[in-house]
Amino acid sequence: MSQYPLVRRQRAHLSQFTTTVLYPKNPWVVAFFSFSYPGFGHLLLHRYIAGFILILWETFINQNAKVNLGIFYTLTGDFSKAMDVIDEQWLMVYVAIYMFGIWDGYRQTVDMNKQYILADREDAPLQPIAMGAWDINFLDKRKPWVAVLWSVLFPGLGHLYIHKVIVGFFIFAYTVLILYFGHLPQAIHLTMIGDFDVAKQILHMQWAMYLPSIYFFIHYDAYVGAIDYNILFEKEMKKFLRENYQKKEFKFPF
């Protein structure tokens, strides 16, 4: 049996593991994150299945096409080596998926912004808490800067703080995978003890080039997610107080 009343459009859905919310977003911001890393724009829209598929597909194609290595050598000015490492056959497949992620992220944002306007006007009831055998999720106020701080310490922790468990666990595991194959911990350790030559040799740039996009995204998503959930908490509380504690004779100002 559904925990929500029958409404035409829902503004949010609480489950044990996450809160899915409709809230207006800038289509260009979503397109930018889809440009920086396919799938990230879809995660901003809470379209997790599409986002995870695009992220994993991006990793598979990028590893075969060696796009990251091509970008690295291009940034260092070694254009001939950049052309040599890139696999043209895989690159042709990469371009199509890459462009689709940008286009679909922009298109979905425009459509979902319209859905938000309609859902907000309907002012449907919001469920403030979801309980189950695995976890408890409830609407509450959380500090955006705390979410960013935990994300700085390690990707995924900020999302766990705002109870985006699904995205948080995925980002956490995905980052650990990249750190392992990129040999980042060993390179950082060798750099700290001054052994720069060995650090440069063991660092795998094809894997390491994933990290800048990941770190930039998780900081933004954790911060914006905390703000969106705070606004949702305020909307639910205002509706509850208005319906239960406000006098019927009260006249709304126009």
Side-chain angles (χ1 to χ4, degrees), residues 55-87:
I55 290 172
L56 296 176
W57 183 252
E58 145 73 15
T59 306
F60 173 76
I61 297 294
N62 199 316
Q63 287 301 116
N64 285 278
K66 299 295 187 294
V67 175
N68 283 351
L69 275 180
I71 294 173
F72 172 73
Y73 289 128
T74 300
L75 293 174
T76 57
D78 196 345
F79 302 107
S80 60
K81 197 166 185 179
M83 295 177 63
D84 292 337
V85 297
I86 290 181
D87 190 311

Side-chain angles (χ1 to χ4, degrees), residues 44 68 112 120 130 166 175 200 232:
L44 281 176
N68 283 351
M112 291 177 71
D120 196 54
I166 298 175
T175 304
K200 290 170 62 177
L232 188 67

